[in-house]
Structures are given as C-alpha cells and as structure tokens.
Amino acid sequence: MAALKNSYTLPAAADMHVHLRNAPGPIAALVTPTIRRAGIDTVFVMPNLAPRPVVSVAEALDYKKALQQLDPEVNYLMSLYLTRASLRTHDQLAAVGVVSFEPFHEVLKTMEEEGIVLNLHGEVPSSAADGVTVMNAEIRFLPVLKDLVGKYPKLKIVLEHCTSADAVEAVRSLHDNVVGTITAHHLSLLVDDWSANVHHYCKPSAKSPEDRRALLNAVVTSNGKFFLGTDSAPHDITSKKGKGNTAAGVFTQPHALGYVLTALEEAIARGDIPADAVTDDVLAGFFSTYGRRFYGVAPAARQIRLTRGGARVAESMSGDGVEVVPFHAGEETWGVEWL
Ligand code: NCD
C-alpha cells in the first residue's frame, strides 16, 4: 500500500538554493522556465556565475533583471559571493574559496547588525595531507560553523545542502538563527549511486545510509530548522562527460517536489522514517513556509496540487547548443498543477 496520499494540495513552494547560471545565456534560458512548472514561485539564486561571480549589488540587480525576462512571475531572491575585492574571477575563487573568515570580520559584523543572511557551502577543501576527502569535507567544516556562531551570535546562517548526520546534529544544536537546507536528491542518493553515474555527482556528495536517514528525519521533524534548497545545478553534458574533471551538480529543478515525495515514500518502506511522518503540515513547512519565514518573505499567494504519477521526467533538455540531463531522466514522477 502506498504510504503517501495520491495527491496533495499545498502552498506554492520556495526553493532556497538554486543555480540558474548566467543570464542571458543558454542554460538559464533552458532551466528558468522550469521553476514555476515545478510548483515553485520563489527561488534563492546562487551567485557563482562563471567566469565572474556576482559580487556587487549592481551586478545582482542586472542578473535579476535578466532572469525576470525569462520568467517575470518568479520571485528571485538574489545573493552576493563573499570574496575579497582582489579575487573576483571564478578560477581565482574556485582555487581560493573562503577558508578563513578572519578577513571578513567587518562584513560579518555588519551582516549581523543588518539581518543579512550568510549562506555557507560548508566544506573544507580536500587535502590528502589532512585526511580530507569529499566524504568528510562537510564534517570537518562544522567546527568553523560553531566558531562563527560563537563570534556572531545574532548572525542568520544557512548551512546549505546538508548531507551528513553530523551536519543535521550541528544545525539542531545551534540557536534559531542557524538553519539548514536539504536538497531533493540527497534524500535518495548514496555514495554508491554517484560513483556509478556522473549525473548523480555533486558537492557536497551523497554519503552513507545513516546520513541519508538523518536527512530524511530532519525533513519530517524540521519545525523550521530545515527547509528545501534543491541546489539544482545544471551543467552542459560535455562538462559532465568530457575529458576534464566531471562538473559537480545534480539538475533537479523541473521535478524537485516529486523527487522529495518519492524519497519520503521509499524512506517509509525502508523504515527510515515512521509511516505516519509525512503530513500535509510537514510538507507545507518544508516546501514553503519555513524558508519564507526565515527570509522574511510573504507566504505563498497561490496553491499547487501534486498528483502521483502525473508527469514524466524528460530524457534530456536541450537548446541553443547546450544539453542538460535531469535527475531520474525518463522516469515517472509526481505532476504539478497551479490552483
Ligand atoms: C555547484 C554548481 O554547479 O554551481 N555544484 C554542486 O555540486 N553543488 C557548485 C557547488 O556548490 O559546488
């Protein structure tokens, strides 16, 4: 017997971590129109554009305008890439990242005073010498998170795309200004899945069954501590399957809510979460109300209906010289209607 209902009527969703890529640009043109088709009216847009990330308000506003031309009805919440003024190209930033927050003391103090949210990709760089790989890079970051919370107690922080039981525990243990986002794909994938399929590879990478169980339980017991941030990260198929390093990123934008429902149902079948854990309130909170409340965004004005088996994921999406392969390509998933 199916553990979930066959249909859910919920407030429109908010996806608080998306990669839409450069706009105007071919990937943005392909993926931005899938936001509302997915039942989502609000997105928090990542600033890691290439070759140059978004580092000023003027750039963020230009980017927003270009996204609005692709779909004016989405509410785009824009963000800035935290960086020293001297390091502004994508390559420089990818090589350097922000490893120490010391040089940003004044910025963080001001963010704390002004209520500006700090969004963390919480991983330390891989280092054989220090024993850091993609499997423990997030766990090794958690002391940095705790240190930041100690130094800036009023700073609002999101630990983005949590993937480990330790990250869930850390977010739970910290005060209400610290929350976590959880993606759709980390609710189903394990390390074995991405080691076998480039389209399942992302950062932070999917981990163990115990980690996945912790994420699933965080969704159904969130109470506002965890909400949806898909980290949908489209890459052209050539950078997934080319000769260089495989680009990290799973593309989930068009069917994110359905992927979550399927993962929760599979979790019930495995015994990872209780059979009665997935209520309308849990889904409305995780998909929509908790994220909006944290960011101070008004509640959704419209509702959506999700229907079991109502859609099929495209095998791939292409246009203007690019091709992106969605998560669970070709499979049946939940349909979305706007009410
Ligand atoms: C992100 C992307 O593709 O922009 N990829 C990902 O796997 N999450 C970048 C990043 O967050 O590492």
Side-chain angles (χ1 to χ4, degrees), residues 19 21 48 121 161 202-203 231 233 235 248-249:
H19 297 273
R21 309 307 185 203
N48 65 327
H121 179 131
H161 39 55
C202 64
K203 281 188 175 175
D231 191 21
H235 289 277

Side-chain angles (χ1 to χ4, degrees), residues 287-315:
F287 284 154
S288 185
T289 52
Y290 297 150
R292 292 176 203 269
R293 194 170 71 199
F294 184 79
Y295 280 99
V297 174
R302 289 181 65 184
Q303 289 199 311
I304 53 167
R305 185 185 299 127
L306 302 169
T307 308
R308 180 190 296 281
R312 186 166 292 279
V313 182
E315 290 288 350

Side-chain angles (χ1 to χ4, degrees), residues 32-330:
T32 306
T34 71
I35 296 169
R36 277 191 312 124
R37 277 182 232 152
I40 292 163
D41 70 358
T42 298
V43 287
F44 189 84
V45 183
M46 289 299 125
N48 65 327
L49 303 185
R52 189 185 144 83
V54 180
V55 293
S56 71
V57 171
E59 287 168 358
L61 292 175
D62 282 350
Y63 185 24
K64 181 172 182 164
K65 223 179 270 169
L67 293 172
Q68 282 169 330
Q69 286 182 0
L70 294 168
D71 186 343
E73 290 189 43
V74 174
N75 181 18
Y76 303 95
L77 307 174
M78 307 308 291
S79 61
L80 301 180
Y81 203 111
L82 184 65
T83 174
R84 278 179 283 155
S86 56
L87 302 171
R88 291 205 164 173
T89 72
H90 191 264
D91 285 348
Q92 284 170 326
L93 289 161
V96 178
V98 170
V99 180
S100 160
F101 286 93
E102 299 279 310
F104 298 100
H105 174 68
E106 288 304 320
V107 176
L108 295 170
K109 209 73 224 123
T110 306
M111 288 173 71
E112 185 182 30
E113 283 160 16
E114 299 291 330
I116 297 171
V117 175
L118 178 67
N119 306 83
L120 294 171
H121 179 131
E123 290 190 295
V124 300
S126 286
S127 156
D130 296 333
V132 182
T133 69
V134 293
M135 293 308 287
N136 62 2
E138 181 177 86
I139 293 167
R140 293 288 192 95
F141 179 80
L142 298 175
V144 182
L145 170 66
K146 289 179 181 168
D147 190 49
L148 275 171
V149 174
K151 285 199 179 108
Y152 308 98
K154 296 211 169 95
L155 182 60
K156 295 183 83 168
I157 299 179
V158 185
L159 184 63
E160 299 288 348
H161 39 55
C162 299
T163 59
S164 59
D166 293 50
V168 167
E169 190 43 47
V171 170
R172 276 212 185 103
S173 74
L174 295 165
H175 57 60
D176 287 354
N177 283 347
V178 182
V179 297
T181 53
I182 296 181
T183 75
H185 53 284
H186 288 117
L187 297 177
S188 62
L189 295 178
L190 298 175
V191 52
D192 295 46
D193 298 306
W194 65 258
S195 66
N197 181 341
V198 287
H199 298 298
H200 291 169
Y201 171 60
C202 64
K203 281 188 175 175
S205 60
K207 299 190 168 64
S208 72
E210 294 72 34
D211 292 312
R212 182 177 65 182
R213 190 179 310 133
L215 298 176
L216 288 156
N217 278 283
V219 170
V220 296
T221 63
S222 161
N223 272 326
K225 265 297 200 187
F226 299 93
F227 48 80
L228 179 70
T230 62
D231 191 21
S232 174
H235 289 277
D236 181 49
I237 194 159
T238 55
S239 47
K240 277 292 199 185
K241 290 193 161 172
K243 288 193 177 132
N245 286 345
T246 296
V250 178
F251 175 49
T252 52
Q253 199 77 74
H255 298 286
L257 308 184
Y259 298 145
V260 173
L261 294 181
T262 300
L264 291 171
E265 194 156 58
E266 289 171 359
I268 292 171
R270 283 193 305 272
D272 277 357
I273 57 173
D276 59 356
V278 183
T279 63
D280 286 33
D281 283 351
V282 158
L283 294 175
F286 181 72
F287 284 154
S288 185
T289 52
Y290 297 150
R292 292 176 203 269
R293 194 170 71 199
F294 184 79
Y295 280 99
V297 174
R302 289 181 65 184
Q303 289 199 311
I304 53 167
R305 185 185 299 127
L306 302 169
T307 308
R308 180 190 296 281
R312 186 166 292 279
V313 182
E315 290 288 350
S316 87
M317 293 171 52
S318 52
D320 207 5
V322 293
E323 179 181 357
V324 178
V325 177
F327 190 50
H328 287 315

